[in-house]
């Protein structure tokens, strides 16, 4: 078989290509046209990990904004490399080279040591008059950032299956300057609970010395509201 047209194929702009196939049998040859339909591959123009057809601005790799634990970007995309998504004056590409976080500013005003809870955790969930105990999944460790902690572990809140429960981000506020304890807030987080969309919100306290976080949470499952207490400690 001989492919006559050896032009480079760009699948993003050429939905169909035609190949000329030459079949030879001794001195007899016959040409046939073969048409191939090519589906264009999804394009991420700015390297932020969001395909251009759904990106709110496919020329701005910092839109939409992402949490500091975001890792869906393309570190080799030149548009993304030349941006500064955390606004700390250091380009994304340079931060990757230097081993710093391109989505977290090097300047941090928080003195809370959230890294205390960045390893293995134990959860005690008191709800419906029962107590549920379980440990964190080593494959999904918490992410400790500047004054916050993101937990991506499946947590079993009330009647919801563990796989349905939300990722939560805890924001820490010390009780005073230099204090090792204070308050914790979790912004309202929608998530799927069974076939319905529920919301999770929580407030609580933390203590760096005892390495304990206590959350008083509320789940609103389409009008069915229940409360619980989630205690988080290091293993």
């Amino acid at each position: 078989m001989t492919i006559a047209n050896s032009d480079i194929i760009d699948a993003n702009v050429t939905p169909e290509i035609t190949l000329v196939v030459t079949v030879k049998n001794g001195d007899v040859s016959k040409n046939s046209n073969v048409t191939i339909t090519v589906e264009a591959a999804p394009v991420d123009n700015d390297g932020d990990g969001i395909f251009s057809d759904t990106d709110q601005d496919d020329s701005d790799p910092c839109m939409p904004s992402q949490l500091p634990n975001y890792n869906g970007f393309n570190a080799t995309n030149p548009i993304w490399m030349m941006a500064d998504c955390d606004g700390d004056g250091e380009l994304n590409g340079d931060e990757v080279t230097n081993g710093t976080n391109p989505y977290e500013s090097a300047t941090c005003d928080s003195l809370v040591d959230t890294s205390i809870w960045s390893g293995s955790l134990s959860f005690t969930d008191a709800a419906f008059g029962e107590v549920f105990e379980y440990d964190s999944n080593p494959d999904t460790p918490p992410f400790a950032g500047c004054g916050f902690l993101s937990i991506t572990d499946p947590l079993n809140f009330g009647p919801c299956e563990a796989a349905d429960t939300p990722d939560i981000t805890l924001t820490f506020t010390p009780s005073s300057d230099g204090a090792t304890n204070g308050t914790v807030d979790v912004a309202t987080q929608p998530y799927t609970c069974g076939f319905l969309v529920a919301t999770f919100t929580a407030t609580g306290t933390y203590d760096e010395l005892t390495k304990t976080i206590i959350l008083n949470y509320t789940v609103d499952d389409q009008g069915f509201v229940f409360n619980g207490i989630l205690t988080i400690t290091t293993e």
Side-chain angles (χ1 to χ4, degrees), residues 80-198:
W80 184 89
M81 293 175 66
M82 295 303 295
D84 177 16
C85 288
D86 56 12
D88 62 357
E90 189 172 4
L91 299 179
N92 292 344
D94 292 338
E95 295 221 36
V96 171
T97 300
N98 297 332
T100 55
N101 190 336
Y103 289 93
E104 182 177 19
S105 173
T107 302
C108 178
D109 296 328
S110 175
L111 297 179
V112 180
D113 185 10
T114 58
S115 66
I116 291 173
W117 296 280
S118 63
S120 299
L121 300 177
S122 294
F123 304 97
T124 302
D125 187 7
F128 300 101
E130 298 184 57
V131 176
F132 308 92
E133 296 183 351
Y134 43 94
D135 297 327
S136 60
N137 185 342
D139 294 330
T140 55
F143 182 88
C146 180
F148 75 91
L149 180 74
S150 293
I151 299 177
T152 57
D153 251 310
L155 302 176
N156 184 15
F157 296 120
C160 300
E161 295 293 333
D164 292 337
T165 53
D167 299 342
I168 60 175
T169 298
L170 295 71
T171 302
F172 295 74
T173 303
S175 57
S176 61
D177 290 342
T180 57
N181 57 44
T183 59
V184 179
D185 291 287
V186 179
T188 300
Q189 174 68 45
Y191 68 101
T192 302
C193 179
F195 297 102
L196 302 175
V197 176

Side-chain angles (χ1 to χ4, degrees), residues 2-11 13-14 16-20 36 38:
T2 301
I3 299 178
N5 55 333
S6 58
D7 295 337
I8 296 175
I9 300 168
D10 185 348
V13 299
T14 309
E16 291 186 349
I17 59 173
T18 300
L19 304 180
V20 179
I36 301 175
V38 180

